[in-house]
Amino acid sequence: MSSNRTLMVLPGDGVGPEVVNETLRVVEWLAKNKSITFNVKEGLVGGASYDKYGTPLTDETLADTIEADAVLFGAVGGPKYDGVDFDKRPENGLLRLRKEMDLFANLRPAMVFPALVDASSLKPDIISGLDILILRELTGGIYFAEPRGIEEVSSKVKKGYDTNLYTTPEIERIGRVAFDLAKARNGKVTSVEKANVMMSGVLWREVMTNLHIKEGNGIDMHHMYADNCAMQLVRDPKQFDVIVTDNLFGDILSDCAAMLTGSLGMLPSASLGSVDKNTGKRFAMYEPVHGSAPDIAGKGLANPLAELLSLSMMLRYSFEMKDEADLIDKAVSLALEAGPRTPDIMAHGREKVGTKGMMDIILRKLEELTN
Ligand code: NAD
Ligand code: IPM
Ligand code: MN
């Protein structure tokens, strides 16, 4: 079906294509049942692109991706590429996409579905009703700053180094997103760094403090060291509303937050750029927080819900389709309440299903909810 909305799909490696293909069944369902259509274009990224073209992202695929209204990403990487030159590794395809489209704001919501309270490794009262948002800065910091490298110091000694670098505007723009998100939630922002040991952390805290004075009217802002934040996330995660932090701390803390929700296979994310003043367009890529899961890849066992919930975030943030996003979220909630589950969120007495089986249930719930 032709449409004026273009969706670029980049399945990638490992379980990426498995969860993306199942999620595309919901895209088809939306076309058939809700007349919501997308021109779907697919491209190779990561190891899949490296295998075919010798690079994890071709300029052609990047151009197609930049053209699209939104991008649905799977996952990249795997042990097969361990020996590949660093700049040709699958992960570099993803990092280049984020950088080229300036997707500086990565929203990683960690919500506990009532039915999954028992799937978490934490006690039910600690996590039931949890709804927090980790806002990760995605285009700066130690992931991209120079200098970085490995050099020989002597015949027996080498040095490897990276740079963590943030500028005032980079911190301000992610801070503003944190304030905006918090205003639509519970109004609380926890800014996380290590200002006790890192100069980039000292600046981060200074800029966030000033921004709060200038633009944070009504926002309850707190500062927290990243190590304490990791501890607080498992001690009492409900103290948080929005956590805003740098690229590296955001990566680590969001994997930690995933286990509050039961599984890494449940955590979606949205990577957003800023709105272009001339065209009104905002680059956006929707990517589950998990990776290519080499240990279960090819077995049809991956939980497809992080990918599906990323699609739901796409409908919400790129296309203002709140009703349809709510519908998908509701279908996920109902599907988890009764019936089979994938192994990562398995519970006593439940039947086990794989990636396809889980999506069969979602599609059934979508039918039930709309008929
Ligand atoms: P991973 O997220 O791939 O897997 C960690 C653990 O979580 C594994 O036990 C895996 O089986 C499980 N898991 C992940 N997704 C799951 C799902 N949907 N359902 C059920 N279980 C799931 O992390 P890793 O093993 O550290 O990394 C593997 C590869 O993935 C590496 O090459 C890494 O660089 C890459 N990676 C890519 C992304 C991405 O593309 N966005 C994110 C993280 C890691
Ligand atoms: C993530 C991943 C990526 C990251 C890798 C694959 C580059 O771990 O999206 O969380 O570190 O940002
Ligand atoms: Mn990660």
Side-chain angles (χ1 to χ4, degrees):
M1 228 178 287
S2 96
S3 162
N4 56 0
R5 287 178 290 263
T6 312
L7 171 59
M8 184 70 185
V9 178
L10 298 171
D13 310 319
V15 300
E18 300 174 34
V19 295
V20 165
N21 286 339
E22 290 304 322
T23 298
L24 288 177
R25 292 170 67 196
V26 174
V27 173
E28 278 162 31
W29 185 90
L30 288 169
K32 221 195 230 157
N33 296 276
K34 292 268 163 196
S35 302
I36 292 172
T37 55
F38 296 95
N39 283 324
V40 179
K41 210 167 185 180
E42 212 170 298
L44 296 177
V45 69
S49 173
Y50 177 81
D51 287 344
K52 187 151 182 205
Y53 303 114
T55 169
L57 181 71
T58 64
D59 291 343
E60 291 73 20
T61 305
L62 175 64
D64 285 346
T65 306
I66 285 173
E67 280 278 296
D69 295 305
V71 187
L72 187 68
F73 189 93
V76 289
K80 183 179 164 192
Y81 306 99
D82 281 350
V84 170
D85 284 352
F86 195 74
D87 61 335
K88 295 256 171 10
R89 290 180 61 133
E91 291 81 354
N92 253 297
L94 173 59
L95 295 175
R96 187 169 168 218
L97 282 167
R98 290 173 179 168
K99 193 69 176 172
E100 297 270 356
M101 292 193 285
D102 201 16
L103 305 173
F104 70 95
N106 183 218
L107 283 58
R108 297 189 159 189
M111 270 181 54
V112 174
F113 285 92
L116 285 192
V117 167
D118 293 327
S120 172
S121 48
L122 276 82
K123 294 192 188 92
D125 61 312
I126 305 275
I127 46 104
S128 69
L130 180 77
D131 177 2
I132 62 173
L133 179 70
I134 297 184
L135 177 63
R136 170 187 178 193
E137 200 291 327
L138 202 61
T139 50
I142 205 160
Y143 274 65
F144 296 99
E146 300 284 347
R148 48 175 27 218
I150 299 178
E151 281 168 26
E152 221 161 89
V153 176
S154 69
S155 62
K156 286 206 183 91
V157 178
K158 292 197 264 187
K159 63 174 181 183
Y161 53 97
D162 300 276
T163 304
N164 200 29
L165 187 155
Y166 275 102
T167 62
T168 306
E170 282 180 301
I171 302 166
E172 282 178 345
R173 70 174 179 171
I174 194 74
R176 279 190 191 105
V177 177
F179 291 168
D180 285 346
L181 289 166
K183 275 177 198 153
R185 296 171 52 95
N186 293 321
K188 182 173 174 185
V189 170
T190 308
S191 172
V192 172
E193 26 60 6
K194 269 184 76 72
N196 51 347
V197 283
M198 296 166 71
M199 296 316 290
S200 53
V202 172
L203 182 71
W204 185 285
R205 188 172 287 216
E206 182 187 306
V207 173
M208 285 302 295
T209 302
N210 291 339
L211 189 71
H212 184 238
I213 293 167
K214 279 189 288 192
E215 301 177 26
N217 198 11
I219 298 289
D220 177 22
M221 191 175 77
H222 301 254
H223 302 280
M224 192 179 273
Y225 297 135
D227 48 352
N228 183 25
C229 182
M231 186 276 279
Q232 295 294 343
L233 269 174
V234 287
R235 189 187 76 86
D236 177 22
K238 283 188 254 179
Q239 71 183 280
F240 297 111
D241 180 20
V242 174
I243 292 174
V244 59
T245 190
D246 79 5
N247 207 339
L248 182 60
F249 294 141
D251 180 45
I252 296 167
L253 295 173
S254 57
D255 262 36
C256 176
M259 272 323 289
L260 307 172
T261 73
S263 165
L264 195 47
M266 291 299 302
L267 225 69
S269 91
S271 306
L272 308 176
S274 43
V275 179
D276 186 295
K277 283 193 193 90
N278 299 318
T279 61
K281 184 176 164 164
R282 175 164 73 181
F283 288 125
M285 183 156 80
Y286 298 86
E287 37 175 320
V289 170
H290 67 73
S292 59
D295 51 338
I296 55 166
K299 298 183 182 157
L301 292 177
N303 185 343
L305 297 180
E307 190 73 50
L308 176 64
L309 292 167
S310 300
L311 174 75
S312 155
M313 290 187 86
M314 178 183 101
L315 298 175
R316 205 178 288 286
Y317 290 100
S318 280
F319 300 112
E320 286 166 17
M321 294 178 184
K322 181 182 177 300
D323 291 348
E324 288 72 20
D326 286 346
L327 181 68
I328 292 175
D329 296 355
K330 180 90 188 142
V332 171
S333 189
L334 289 179
L336 293 170
E337 260 163 41
R341 290 189 183 168
T342 48
D344 57 311
I345 49 172
M346 205 45 200
H348 187 69
R350 296 289 181 109
E351 192 193 325
K352 198 154 56 173
V353 279
T355 317
K356 179 178 180 304
M358 192 70 224
M359 203 55 82
D360 289 343
I361 303 167
I362 295 287
L363 288 164
R364 261 203 316 275
K365 293 295 168 195
L366 285 172
E367 291 293 335
E368 283 170 27
L369 284 166
T370 47
N371 280 321

